[in-house]
């Protein structure tokens, strides 16, 4: 459950879009690194008293290595300017029935300027959609798309398997200007557009943001239990089905690694094999990068063989992709490993992006 702490802000360390990182001194003389979302709790300043949820920090969770600011109890933010008893500003509740649930304007609500367009939308018109397990794949996929199609408009759909607030992601902040926009779907929030489901989010990406390509991946903070079904990335298979239902072209970014020390993630991760092999009922194009180390390549080929009856396994050339990855405007990191520490992982994601770009014709 919640591990509560109260303290005083001593410094604002840095800011990025939607977030502020703080130093907070505790009454017992300790200090915690904390994260505040000003849109939810107000904008902290040195000297403010803050209430913290410190559980993730105390447990040493890598992605969630912050105490989270729950409130500035002595300086609450003002109410939003809109009337509270109408739906004119939206009634889409996310992080529902938690103490910090925001009420937002859904992209397809009646009060949205996009309602009419989305009410009539039935298809994403063959748009390639790259599906990925981890948030860390996002900048690599984007690099692969833009390596071959530098002018392609790429939208990102933030699903709710990891961090719910888009503001948590420094990757998204660093990709500002490279993406056509972010659509936060399900319980996730904080994107440029809000959607209640992945389906409505995909339609918004196509018909509101004008995307040529979309990328679907959870926010930072993948959950995994080491079991076949107990991981948040299982939703990748459901994303394939949603893309197919809306007339899109699902492109599977495979989680490939020869650097992960855990056997279940060596070669093709069991996350990819379960999501694409058991959950995805519609066919997808699963991308394998050319030029893998021979031993790793043989491992990948053998692992994917059972999936070939449903999906199309596509080998994609990787010339120029290393340079594209190294030119990424944000640092590449997965499970604490950078580009050179897990090159196959990032190369596989970039190859999926390249394949999606080539589907544009």
């Amino acid at each position: 459950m919640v591990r509560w702490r109260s303290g005083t802000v001593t410094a604002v360390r840095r800011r990025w879009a939607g977030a502020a990182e703080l130093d907070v001194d505790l009454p017992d003389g300790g200090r915690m690194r904390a994260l505040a979302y000003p849109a939810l709790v107000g904008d902290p300043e040195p000297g403010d008293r803050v209430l913290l949820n410190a559980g993730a920090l105390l447990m040493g969770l890598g992605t969630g290595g912050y105490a989270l600011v729950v409130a500035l109890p002595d300086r609450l933010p003002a109410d939003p300017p809109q009337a509270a008893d109408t739906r004119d500003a939206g009634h889409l509740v996310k992080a529902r029935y938690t103490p910090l649930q925001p009420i937002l304007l859904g992209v397809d609500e009646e009060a949205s300027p996009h309602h009419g367009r989305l009410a009539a939308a039935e298809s994403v018109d063959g748009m390639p959609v790259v599906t990925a397990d981890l948030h860390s794949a996002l900048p690599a996929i984007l690099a692969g798309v833009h390596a071959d199609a530098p002018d392609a408009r790429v939208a990102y759909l933030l699903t709710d398997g990891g961090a719910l607030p888009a503001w948590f992601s420094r990757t998204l902040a660093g990709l500002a200007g490279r993406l056509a926009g972010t659509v936060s779907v399900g319980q996730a929030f904080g994107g440029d557009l809000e959607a209640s489901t992945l389906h409505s989010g995909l339609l918004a990406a196509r018909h509101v943001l004008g995307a040529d390509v979309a990328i679907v991946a959870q926010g930072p903070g993948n959950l995994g239990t080491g079991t076949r079904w107990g991981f948040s990335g299982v939703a990748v298979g459901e994303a394939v089905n949603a893309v197919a239902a809306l007339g899109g072209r699902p492109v599977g970014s495979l989680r490939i690694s020869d650097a992960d020390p855990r056997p279940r993630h060596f070669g093709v991760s069991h996350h990819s094999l379960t999501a694409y092999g058991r959950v995805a009922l519609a066919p997808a194009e699963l991308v394998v990068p050319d030029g893998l180390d021979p031993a790793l390549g043989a491992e990948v080929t053998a692992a994917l063989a059972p999936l070939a009856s449903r999906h199309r396994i596509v080998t994609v050339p990787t010339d120029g992709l290393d340079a594209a990855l190294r030119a990424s405007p944000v640092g590449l990191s997965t499970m604490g490993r950078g580009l050179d520490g897990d090159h196959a992982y990032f190369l596989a994601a970039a190859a999926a992006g390249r394949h999606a770009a080539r589907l544009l014709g």
Side-chain angles (χ1 to χ4, degrees), residues 151-280:
D151 296 326
R153 291 179 59 80
V154 182
Y156 169 52
L157 286 96
L158 170 72
T159 62
D160 53 17
L164 298 186
W167 311 311
F168 186 80
S169 173
R170 291 194 297 274
T171 294
L172 274 180
L175 292 176
R178 304 292 183 104
L179 290 167
T182 295
V183 187
S184 34
V185 306
Q187 297 288 342
F189 57 92
D192 300 292
L193 300 173
E194 304 289 348
S196 54
T197 67
L198 178 57
H199 298 76
S200 59
L202 287 165
L203 291 168
R206 180 64 171 176
H207 298 290
V208 177
L209 295 178
D212 303 306
V213 176
I215 301 169
V216 177
Q218 62 186 324
N222 173 64
L223 172 65
T225 65
T227 62
R228 179 184 295 274
W229 296 104
F231 63 98
S232 52
V234 74
V236 170
E238 296 164 353
V240 168
N241 298 334
V243 174
L246 293 173
R249 296 192 65 170
V251 175
S253 176
L254 295 168
R255 184 173 169 182
I256 293 174
S257 177
D258 58 0
D260 198 309
R262 297 166 293 180
R264 65 184 182 274
H265 293 304
F266 184 85
V268 183
S269 167
H270 83 99
H271 286 193
S272 290
L273 296 176
T274 298
Y276 294 118
R278 301 290 298 276
V279 182

Side-chain angles (χ1 to χ4, degrees), residues 3 5 20 22 24 26 32-36 51-58 64-70:
R3 288 173 168 82
R5 298 293 186 272
L22 316 171
V24 177
L26 306 179
M32 285 187 165
R33 187 177 64 154
L35 195 69
L51 299 182
L52 304 175
N53 179 338
L57 177 61
L58 294 172
Y66 293 101
L68 294 172
V69 175
V70 179

Side-chain angles (χ1 to χ4, degrees), residues 3-341:
R3 288 173 168 82
W4 289 95
R5 298 293 186 272
S6 176
T8 302
V9 177
T10 57
V12 179
R13 296 168 57 99
R14 57 179 170 168
R15 298 177 183 271
W16 59 89
E21 185 183 272
L22 316 171
D23 284 334
V24 177
D25 282 359
L26 306 179
D28 63 4
R31 173 171 290 183
M32 285 187 165
R33 187 177 64 154
L35 195 69
Y37 301 123
L40 291 185
V41 301
D43 200 355
E45 299 174 355
D48 281 333
R49 185 167 67 96
V50 289
L51 299 182
L52 304 175
N53 179 338
L57 177 61
L58 294 172
M59 289 186 68
L61 299 180
T63 301
Y66 293 101
L68 294 172
V69 175
V70 179
L72 281 64
D74 303 323
R75 196 165 62 83
L76 297 175
D79 285 348
Q82 302 88 0
D85 58 349
T86 75
R87 297 187 175 191
D88 293 344
H91 76 295
L92 188 59
V93 181
K94 297 205 175 186
R96 289 188 277 278
Y97 304 107
T98 63
L100 290 178
Q101 61 181 17
I103 301 177
L104 306 158
L105 178 62
V107 65
D108 55 352
E109 286 193 70
E110 292 84 347
S112 167
H114 311 297
H115 173 75
R117 188 181 313 168
L118 291 178
E122 294 287 343
S123 171
V124 295
D125 306 325
M127 178 175 67
V129 181
V130 184
T131 57
D133 180 13
L134 300 178
H135 189 70
S136 56
L138 170 61
I141 296 168
L142 185 63
V145 173
H146 283 159
D148 284 11
D151 296 326
R153 291 179 59 80
V154 182
Y156 169 52
L157 286 96
L158 170 72
T159 62
D160 53 17
L164 298 186
W167 311 311
F168 186 80
S169 173
R170 291 194 297 274
T171 294
L172 274 180
L175 292 176
R178 304 292 183 104
L179 290 167
T182 295
V183 187
S184 34
V185 306
Q187 297 288 342
F189 57 92
D192 300 292
L193 300 173
E194 304 289 348
S196 54
T197 67
L198 178 57
H199 298 76
S200 59
L202 287 165
L203 291 168
R206 180 64 171 176
H207 298 290
V208 177
L209 295 178
D212 303 306
V213 176
I215 301 169
V216 177
Q218 62 186 324
N222 173 64
L223 172 65
T225 65
T227 62
R228 179 184 295 274
W229 296 104
F231 63 98
S232 52
V234 74
V236 170
E238 296 164 353
V240 168
N241 298 334
V243 174
L246 293 173
R249 296 192 65 170
V251 175
S253 176
L254 295 168
R255 184 173 169 182
I256 293 174
S257 177
D258 58 0
D260 198 309
R262 297 166 293 180
R264 65 184 182 274
H265 293 304
F266 184 85
V268 183
S269 167
H270 83 99
H271 286 193
S272 290
L273 296 176
T274 298
Y276 294 118
R278 301 290 298 276
V279 182
L281 303 181
E285 299 182 50
L286 305 183
V287 176
V288 177
D290 195 14
L292 292 174
D293 174 83
L296 176 60
E299 182 86 18
V300 169
T301 297
L304 292 179
L307 278 63
S309 60
R310 178 178 306 154
H311 303 295
R312 179 179 171 226
I313 313 300
V314 183
T315 301
V316 171
T318 57
D319 51 296
L321 289 184
D322 179 75
L325 289 166
R326 294 186 189 280
S328 171
V330 299
L332 302 178
S333 179
T334 185
M335 305 294 169
R337 300 183 295 272
L339 175 58
D340 292 321

